[in-house]
Amino acid sequence: MSARSRKTPFRFALRAPDGMVVVRVLLLTLAGLFLGGIIHIAIVLGVPGQVPESAYARVAAFGPDGVFNRLPAVEPGAEPLPMLDPMMIHAACRFDLGQGPLKIEAALPPPFWSFALFDAGGRAIYSLNDRTSGAGGRLEVLVLTTEQLSVLRENPPEGLEDLIVIETDATHGYALLRAFDGAPLQRERIEAAMAQASCRGL
């Protein structure tokens, strides 16, 4: 057999990886991890700015705590609080039961009014209206924690049996008064009644 016809086995040439290539790969990997970390931190820090402000926080913009503050009229796209009825007049009061029980009093005119209590997270704690209150247009409510109720039972104040007692675990929240907005003359009566409503410590 001639030298030309002789077949030699095919061999792969194995080369050790270039040192510069390894360094570049490592640098690119570290840069990717670093950039990913920066993006992650930026997203985490930016999330609070994208979360809508809670109703409890928004109520603070309308006046001091411990008093009913009249809310602006409900306009499309500019509601002072979520889920408000544009046919109603609203007033809200923030409270902190850490400072003691809360007593709410109001005398709202007909034809319709309602009252609701919410915790700081916006969850409804209690609600009633003029048809379920059993007291006509008069509203007298006592809001307190379980511990405060236990203390109060040992030395009950005068007239406690006439109050609607609302026991809650939520120490922070807000009360909301709503009254049907009828004719202009009726509106004046409603606004005067809401201005006289009280939301104060017992």
Side-chain angles (χ1 to χ4, degrees):
M1 182 179 293
S2 65
R4 292 182 178 178
S5 61
R6 188 178 303 155
K7 296 182 179 180
T8 58
F10 185 81
R11 295 180 181 178
F12 291 96
L14 298 177
R15 295 178 57 194
D18 187 4
M20 290 300 295
V21 173
V22 173
V23 171
R24 288 176 183 172
V25 170
L26 288 175
L27 288 176
L28 287 174
T29 302
L30 290 175
L33 291 174
F34 181 72
L35 183 61
I38 291 176
I39 293 173
H40 176 74
I41 291 172
I43 291 174
V44 170
L45 293 178
V47 164
Q50 304 301 319
V51 177
E53 191 177 23
S54 71
Y56 175 75
R58 289 167 70 177
V59 170
F62 305 117
D65 294 357
V67 63
F68 276 107
N69 299 294
R70 173 82 158 79
L71 301 187
V74 179
E75 301 290 344
E79 297 85 354
L81 294 177
M83 307 298 290
L84 295 186
D85 189 337
M87 296 300 295
M88 306 286 276
I89 295 175
H90 304 84
C93 169
R94 295 206 328 170
F95 63 84
D96 177 7
L97 296 183
Q99 300 178 4
L102 177 74
K103 186 177 182 181
I104 296 172
E105 295 181 280
L108 300 172
F112 177 79
W113 61 264
S114 70
F115 162 79
L117 200 69
F118 299 89
D119 65 14
R123 292 174 289 273
I125 298 173
Y126 188 87
S127 66
L128 58 79
N129 57 47
D130 60 331
R131 292 164 176 77
T132 59
S133 67
R138 188 72 189 168
L139 175 69
E140 292 184 290
V141 173
L142 183 64
V143 185
L144 70 180
T145 64
T146 303
E147 294 78 9
Q148 291 168 346
L149 181 59
S150 299
V151 173
L152 207 63
R153 281 175 175 162
E154 296 177 1
N155 188 21
E158 185 177 353
L160 179 62
E161 65 278 0
D162 298 326
L163 302 176
I164 298 173
V165 178
I166 303 174
E167 182 182 350
T168 177
D169 294 330
T171 56
H172 294 79
Y174 66 97
L176 183 66
L177 289 178
R178 296 171 280 205
F180 179 71
D181 186 9
L185 291 177
Q186 184 73 2
R187 185 178 306 140
E188 292 179 5
R189 292 181 58 200
I190 293 171
E191 291 182 345
M194 286 189 170
Q196 294 175 2
S198 66
C199 175
R200 54 185 172 77
L202 181 64

